[in-house]
Amino acid sequence: GTTTITATQVANSTYCADTATYTLTVNNTSPFITTSGTLSALSTTYGTASSNTTFSVSTGNLTNDLIIYAPPGFVISLNAGSGFATSLDLGTTTQTNTPIYVRLAETTSVGTYSGNISLTSTGATSVNVATLPSTVNPKALTVTGLTGVSRDYNGLTSATLSGTPVLSGGILFSDDVTLSGTGVGTFVDKNFGVGKTVNITGFTLTGTKASNYSLTQPTTMANINVKALSISAPSIASKVYNGSAV
């Protein structure tokens, strides 16, 4: 740092009064790491990188590489749109308010993440920058390929399904996720109608990565037709004519 020193000579029988001002500069030769800025909480959906949050780093007199490590779930970069990794090596070059971009990685599993970003260089005091709790939400999947079968009114809400169920919405990164279960169709009510909604239940997701996804049970449509009724004539016994209509 720099300081100013002022020296004053009081007049006496030997010397005249005088004042002298000197500037003293002491250069810090010790390695140092400093940071500025506070990180924001992040949120994203599994398979999509979050938006960025950022802080700045300054260094000087480093004799060993500055290494920056991201906590689990996060990645960091010197560029806002590319080059993200779990660690960065900035070498020994002096940094002056260099921005470090932080985000949740697209491959981070569903959950809440936090921790410290650590900045280290042998010979300098390490610095930690805290991340706020940040969330990865499940990716939504649906089931397609099923249709409802129309039928006559029978007083029930059960519906027959046709087709083959297919998991739709995109499984990422070759994740181990499988559609399990058997679809059960149910009309919204038992009454006659055209284009009635059929709700389908019974499907689940299984596999080691199933927790990274959510499943929306499908719906389809079908008709409940009017039930045809008929009247049967009663059986009448033959008789000998007796002049009566009975």
Side-chain angles (χ1 to χ4, degrees), residues 117-206:
I117 297 172
S118 64
L119 299 88
T120 64
S121 174
T122 301
T125 300
S126 297
V127 175
N128 290 328
V129 177
T131 63
L132 293 181
S134 297
T135 305
V136 178
N137 299 302
K139 175 179 171 59
L141 300 178
T142 58
V143 179
T144 60
L146 294 175
T147 58
V149 178
S150 297
R151 61 165 173 78
D152 292 342
Y153 172 82
N154 64 3
L156 304 175
T157 59
S158 58
T160 300
L161 303 174
S162 66
T164 301
V166 176
L167 197 55
S168 178
I171 300 298
L172 304 175
F173 316 120
S174 300
D175 283 348
D176 174 23
V177 179
T178 303
L179 181 67
S180 299
T182 301
V184 177
T186 306
F187 282 103
V188 291
D189 60 52
K190 66 181 181 179
N191 301 318
F192 159 81
V194 176
K196 296 177 70 71
T197 297
V198 176
N199 295 313
I200 303 173
T201 59
F203 291 112
T204 60
L205 296 175
T206 58

Side-chain angles (χ1 to χ4, degrees), residues 89-138:
D89 186 338
L90 273 60
T92 59
T93 304
T94 297
Q95 307 292 328
T96 303
N97 292 324
T98 300
I100 304 297
Y101 298 93
V102 183
R103 71 187 189 188
L104 290 165
E106 63 180 7
T107 56
T108 299
S109 294
V110 168
T112 300
Y113 296 84
S114 61
N116 290 327
I117 297 172
S118 64
L119 299 88
T120 64
S121 174
T122 301
T125 300
S126 297
V127 175
N128 290 328
V129 177
T131 63
L132 293 181
S134 297
T135 305
V136 178
N137 299 302

